[in-house]
Amino acid sequence: MMTYFLYSYVLLLLCFIINDAKQFENPLQGTSSVCADVCTSPEAHVELDLSEPRIYRENERAQITLHHTGSGRCREPALLQIPLEKIGQHGIMKFDLNFGPVLHNFSIDIGFNNEDNNTIRSVNIFNQQVTIEYRSHTENKIDIYEQSVTLVEPGEDLIIYLSNEWIHIENKQRQQQKLTVHFNQTDMFLFNRNSSFSNLYIGLNRNINGKQTGIGLCLANLTFIECTADQQSALDIDVNNKTFVQRDLENISWISHLTYLDPNADVRECTAQGVVRLTFDPSGTRRIARFDLNMGSQIQGFTFNIGDSATNNGYGGDGGTTSNSAEIHSNDNRFYIWANTKICGDTLLLKIDYNVIEPFDNITILISNERVELTNHRSYHQILSNPYLYALAKQNVTCNCFDSLCYPGVQPDNDIYFGINRVIGGTYRPGTGVCNAHVNWLQCKKIEVSPRNKYEPITTTTESTTIMSSTNKTDLTTNLFEHSTEIINTTESSSLSMITEESHQNDTSSTMIYFNEITTTQQEITPTTLEVNYMTTSQANDEDTTSFISSSTNVNEEELLTTNNKPSLYHLLTNSSQYKPTENPIIIEDITTTTTKRTSVNPCTLENLRANFVYHEYSLDKHKFIFCDNEGKMNIIACSPNYIWSQTEQSCILPN
């Protein structure tokens, strides 16, 4: 029996020793989310327009290669190359992506290729599916981690955060739909310095190995984010022995040093109490505080209280000191989050969760302006952002909306208070459980943003134009609005007239071009490339966009076949405001006789849509394909230059 008790005592003692020493070796572990939320620059470091294409802002960390293909709006491909040493092992990249009316193939592809030019790790958007793929290149067995979800629709915006251990993707129009993936320390995803890769590649409207192109990405902004932290904590507290090691004497101070609630009572482990104040720097780098708490064998009462007011005392109260009084605290195994008294509602309680704090837990808390994050490293991880949380950006002290109390003369501050085994305001609400506490700063690294390149907008006045040609051969070339293009080759004619008519209805400009052959010379229409320079008037103060709109014959495309001695009429309707698909089929009209023959080749049937069969070959031109949107409207889209459509591959490919 004695041996059993001795064995139990040794195990318990060993557990305390291990618990006392518990401190994460990497102070940046698990901080990707808070760094992304707090340390993102308000301006992107790289800004690309894939309609022109143009580089509006660039950064020394990224080498940008633009391919001027003339493919049209939201189709221009680009490749970014970023050295991993420029990102940093704990760096984060934020992509802000804007998509056009049609998504096909790769609109973005981020990752690495091996020596055989095969992609082994990537985050990509293929058609409307977001996929994360991980293939290990160090083992014979290829492990694939894949999570594919329809998270983007045409015309929407997407945000992608990437780091070594964390990937977060969210749709800005559908905030409730988010995709978050965490990688552990042994399965680093992108920036692992132990890998054989030295560069990260980002393909825009193409994949990174260049084997396939894509359609849909219009604008792409890239922002670099990086947090830093000292390896040693700013404050280490040994609660049991009432000792501490403080390395930051300027921004951390003791309000109440460690003591016991009743010095004459029997002293138990993890019962000493104290209060610490931390001062943030909202305009500098010191904007995030990290607390790592090691819990003991008994959890009881208020083990911690972190508040915005010097008199916070639990349950949202602060003794009437300030309206900036948000706080979090425990009570037994429960975890509470309280708003400050600027909120106007029935309660200050924002969140309460049970069974969060258990014996021997290691609790990590991250505090920043209007944000709190807590994890017990078991099953609980809570992130809450709210304008009524911590006021650490010099927010004013206002009247108390909760009980109409005002605070004349009270100035805003950037301080928070940390109560250990007690509430901040006093010892009358004690707790037992925190054995050790480590407090550290996460600092936002400043990454310079270069000036934005400005381009003069192109303005013009639209007016009706009549062009008369002589017997010389006429070659008409135009730049069109969207994806598909056509060319008209005309043989010698004694007279060819082209009349351009302008109409303005509902703020939309359209052009109707008529070709009227007056002589008996044969006119031939060939499905190659026809481009029309179409200009619109821009606002004079619009420095960010250009008024030049690439247009195309993607809708209502009619190809009229003629013979000798018969008139022909070619209608080309371009819309300068938006991409407008059509529900009508492709109509081929033969007007050699008084009877018009019409052949419908519209594949956008209800049966095909239900079967998700939305891509079809275009019989008039192998360099184009047909895309059926979710409304059953048909869109004729051209492949990138030199590419042809493959119905088998369901993609534009390079011919053999």
Side-chain angles (χ1 to χ4, degrees):
M1 189 71 174
M2 187 67 179
T3 305
Y4 173 80
F5 280 114
L6 181 62
Y7 177 76
S8 300
Y9 176 80
V10 170
L11 284 180
L12 184 62
L13 181 62
L14 181 61
C15 183
F16 272 115
I17 294 175
I18 295 175
N19 199 51
D20 287 348
K22 178 62 176 178
Q23 184 179 6
F24 290 100
E25 296 180 0
N26 177 13
L28 294 174
Q29 180 181 344
T31 62
S32 296
S33 177
V34 67
C35 284
D37 287 345
V38 178
C39 298
T40 301
S41 167
E43 294 184 284
H45 295 98
V46 176
E47 295 181 5
L48 297 176
D49 182 349
L50 299 175
S51 296
E52 300 298 337
R54 284 179 174 174
I55 302 174
Y56 283 102
R57 181 179 277 134
E58 50 191 332
N59 186 274
E60 62 178 4
R61 296 183 175 213
Q63 178 181 336
I64 307 170
T65 303
L66 289 179
H67 306 283
H68 296 261
T69 64
S71 299
R73 179 175 176 267
C74 307
R75 305 195 48 164
E76 296 289 348
L79 182 68
L80 278 64
Q81 176 181 327
I82 302 175
L84 293 186
E85 62 182 10
K86 296 289 186 179
I87 303 173
Q89 186 172 0
H90 302 291
I92 306 168
M93 295 195 305
K94 178 190 177 188
F95 296 89
D96 290 278
L97 308 173
N98 171 258
F99 296 91
V102 175
L103 273 63
H104 177 65
N105 265 22
F106 288 95
S107 52
I108 186 168
D109 189 23
I110 309 166
F112 301 96
N113 289 335
N114 60 15
E115 56 274 7
D116 297 325
N117 202 27
N118 296 318
T119 302
I120 64 170
R121 306 182 193 179
S122 70
V123 178
N124 62 65
I125 297 175
F126 186 85
N127 294 336
Q128 296 172 208
Q129 299 289 320
V130 178
T131 302
I132 299 172
E133 190 174 272
Y134 179 86
R135 300 171 185 247
S136 175
H137 65 290
T138 58
E139 302 176 359
N140 294 328
K141 180 182 177 182
I142 297 179
D143 297 324
I144 301 178
Y145 178 87
E146 185 173 338
Q147 186 165 352
S148 184
V149 60
T150 302
L151 200 63
V152 61
E153 299 286 345
E156 293 184 335
D157 298 329
L158 211 64
I159 297 176
I160 301 178
Y161 292 97
L162 272 84
S163 71
N164 232 9
E165 59 182 25
W166 174 76
I167 297 173
H168 178 84
I169 306 174
E170 65 181 70
N171 186 310
K172 294 175 67 174
Q173 279 74 30
R174 293 178 282 154
Q175 289 293 321
Q176 74 278 11
Q177 296 188 28
K178 298 181 180 180
L179 170 64
T180 305
V181 177
H182 292 269
F183 292 87
N184 59 42
Q185 292 294 310
T186 61
D187 190 26
M188 303 298 243
F189 181 68
L190 285 177
F191 314 147
N192 187 359
R193 291 181 179 274
N194 296 325
S195 70
S196 59
F197 304 111
S198 57
N199 296 293
L200 176 71
Y201 292 93
I202 301 113
L204 308 176
N205 286 330
R206 53 165 287 180
N207 61 350
I208 57 177
N209 62 23
K211 295 180 180 179
Q212 295 188 59
T213 60
I215 297 171
L217 188 59
C218 302
L219 300 172
N221 291 348
L222 172 60
T223 305
F224 296 101
I225 309 165
E226 190 170 349
C227 278
T228 61
D230 294 333
Q231 187 64 38
Q232 291 183 310
S233 298
L235 175 63
D236 291 317
I237 305 171
D238 184 345
V239 177
N240 273 335
N241 296 315
K242 295 194 301 180
T243 60
F244 63 90
V245 176
Q246 186 171 343
R247 300 176 180 87
D248 183 352
L249 301 176
E250 182 179 357
N251 307 296
I252 299 178
S253 58
W254 284 88
I255 302 300
S256 175
H257 280 277
L258 291 169
T259 185
Y260 293 114
L261 179 62
D262 183 359
N264 298 320
D266 293 336
V267 176
R268 293 180 298 166
E269 289 82 2
C270 311
T271 59
Q273 302 177 348
V275 178
V276 177
R277 178 174 61 197
L278 289 79
T279 301
F280 288 67
D281 182 9
S283 59
T285 61
R286 199 175 57 258
R287 286 180 266 172
I288 307 168
R290 173 170 180 158
F291 301 84
D292 288 293
L293 311 180
N294 306 140
M295 312 306 290
S297 59
Q298 294 185 11
I299 304 296
Q300 184 178 351
F302 294 81
T303 53
F304 65 85
N305 181 201
I306 302 176
D308 214 355
S309 170
T311 59
N312 275 131
N313 55 16
Y315 304 116
D318 83 320
T321 302
T322 174
S323 63
N324 296 339
S325 56
E327 66 175 331
I328 65 172
H329 65 79
S330 67
N331 190 4
D332 296 337
N333 65 2
R334 300 182 298 276
F335 171 54
Y336 297 82
I337 303 178
W338 300 90
N340 62 38
T341 52
K342 293 177 183 178
I343 194 172
C344 297
D346 297 332
T347 178
L348 299 178
L349 182 62
L350 297 178
K351 187 77 174 177
I352 177 173
D353 284 319
Y354 296 82
N355 301 314
V356 175
I357 303 150
E358 300 290 347
F360 306 116
D361 267 350
N362 296 297
I363 307 295
T364 296
I365 306 171
L366 298 164
I367 300 295
S368 56
N369 181 54
E370 299 179 353
R371 186 185 189 278
V372 61
E373 180 175 352
L374 183 146
T375 178
N376 58 17
H377 299 282
R378 289 186 289 106
S379 58
Y380 184 83
H381 187 189
Q382 176 67 48
I383 299 174
L384 184 60
S385 297
N386 191 290
Y388 300 106
L389 281 173
Y390 298 101
L392 301 175
K394 300 182 179 179
Q395 291 94 329
N396 288 328
V397 176
T398 66
C399 291
N400 187 331
C401 186
F402 192 71
D403 56 15
S404 301
L405 178 67
C406 288
Y407 309 92
V410 177
Q411 299 299 316
D413 60 53
N414 301 305
D415 299 336
I416 63 167
Y417 299 84
F418 171 38
I420 306 168
N421 288 328
R422 57 170 278 188
V423 295
I424 297 165
T427 60
Y428 48 85
R429 284 178 174 168
T432 299
V434 174
C435 299
N436 292 275
H438 308 280
V439 182
N440 206 2
W441 295 107
L442 300 184
Q443 303 185 50
C444 302
K445 184 175 181 179
K446 186 176 181 180
I447 303 174
E448 295 295 334
V449 177
S450 62
R452 198 170 191 270
N453 298 326
K454 296 182 180 180
Y455 295 90
E456 293 296 328
I458 303 173
T459 59
T460 185
T461 302
T462 58
E463 58 184 15
S464 297
T465 305
T466 301
I467 301 177
M468 301 295 297
S469 70
S470 62
T471 57
N472 295 329
K473 183 176 180 179
T474 302
D475 183 13
L476 179 65
T477 310
T478 38
N479 243 347
L480 287 180
F481 173 70
E482 195 44 87
H483 302 295
S484 63
T485 53
E486 296 287 331
I487 191 168
I488 296 180
N489 293 326
T490 306
T491 58
E492 252 184 30
S493 61
S494 58
S495 178
L496 173 69
S497 64
M498 185 186 79
I499 303 175
T500 304
E501 295 180 357
E502 301 294 338
S503 65
H504 302 274
Q505 296 179 353
N506 300 326
D507 298 327
T508 302
S509 300
S510 62
T511 303
M512 189 73 74
I513 301 177
Y514 297 90
F515 292 94
N516 190 12
E517 185 181 10
I518 305 174
T519 68
T520 59
T521 307
Q522 180 178 4
Q523 185 181 29
E524 180 185 355
I525 298 178
T526 311
T528 39
T529 304
L530 169 64
E531 299 182 346
V532 177
N533 287 328
Y534 194 84
M535 307 288 187
T536 60
T537 304
S538 297
Q539 297 291 337
N541 60 351
D542 188 0
E543 298 178 345
D544 297 339
T545 60
T546 174
S547 62
F548 179 75
I549 300 179
S550 298
S551 307
S552 78
T553 60
N554 52 66
V555 297
N556 289 334
E557 184 168 350
E558 302 178 353
E559 308 215 3
L560 308 180
L561 306 179
T562 66
T563 59
N564 291 342
N565 303 320
K566 299 296 180 181
S568 68
L569 182 64
Y570 183 90
H571 297 276
L572 172 63
L573 176 64
T574 61
N575 187 313
S576 65
S577 64
Q578 63 179 356
Y579 175 89
K580 183 179 180 182
T582 179
E583 297 176 348
N584 300 326
I586 305 170
I587 304 298
I588 300 176
E589 294 188 6
D590 186 352
I591 56 176
T592 57
T593 64
T594 57
T595 303
T596 300
K597 297 179 180 179
R598 292 172 175 259
T599 303
S600 175
V601 288
N602 186 354
C604 300
T605 63
L606 181 60
E607 181 181 2
N608 283 342
L609 291 176
R610 287 176 176 174
N612 199 28
F613 186 35
V614 295
Y615 296 102
H616 307 270
E617 60 184 355
Y618 181 50
S619 59
L620 298 178
D621 191 343
K622 64 181 180 181
H623 297 281
K624 299 180 182 178
F625 64 94
I626 296 172
F627 165 70
C628 303
D629 62 22
N630 54 13
E631 296 180 358
K633 296 177 181 178
M634 183 176 62
N635 307 273
I636 302 171
I637 305 173
C639 296
S640 297
N642 301 323
Y643 282 74
I644 63 173
W645 175 255
S646 169
Q647 187 66 18
T648 303
E649 298 289 336
Q650 288 279 285
S651 172
C652 292
I653 63 173
L654 283 172
N656 293 331

